[in-house]
Amino acid sequence: MKNVQIPYELFVSLLRYHLMEEDDCLNEIRQGLEQKLDSLVRHELYAKYKTAPTQEEREKARQEYLEKRGVPDSFRW
């Protein structure tokens, strides 16, 4: 099983929501988890780009990674 690290502030917000039943931090939690999910997806695409067995698969993964990162087409090589 893999471990995932989250920022301290997100952890505290999760604790406040689940243990103290404070609903005012839902927006922070949603944004923090979305950012973490995006980060995990980008990491997986980068790892796929670096370890793909064929040149075509590497290029496809590289393009997907750059797209997720928001790198404009004019800046790519």
Side-chain angles (χ1 to χ4, degrees):
M1 178 174 232
K2 288 185 173 183
N3 293 326
V4 176
Q5 293 183 349
I6 60 172
Y8 179 79
E9 293 81 17
L10 177 58
F11 179 71
V12 170
S13 295
L14 287 166
L15 287 177
R16 285 179 36 215
Y17 177 73
H18 287 288
L19 298 180
M20 300 185 328
E21 298 180 3
E22 291 182 15
D23 292 339
D24 60 337
C25 54
L26 280 176
N27 237 4
E28 297 171 26
I29 293 171
R30 184 174 290 114
Q31 288 175 347
L33 291 176
E34 286 174 357
Q35 288 174 352
K36 188 60 184 180
L37 180 61
D38 288 342
S39 175
L40 289 171
V41 169
R42 285 193 310 268
H43 177 74
E44 288 296 319
L45 286 172
Y46 183 78
K48 187 176 167 184
Y49 155 58
K50 287 297 192 179
T51 61
T54 66
Q55 183 64 28
E56 293 82 23
E57 291 175 8
R58 275 194 295 273
E59 183 60 25
K60 183 178 182 235
R62 184 178 80 84
Q63 291 299 330
E64 288 178 39
Y65 172 74
L66 293 173
E67 186 67 34
K68 270 288 192 202
R69 291 289 295 172
V71 177
D73 289 336
S74 62
F75 194 70
R76 299 177 190 183
W77 65 94

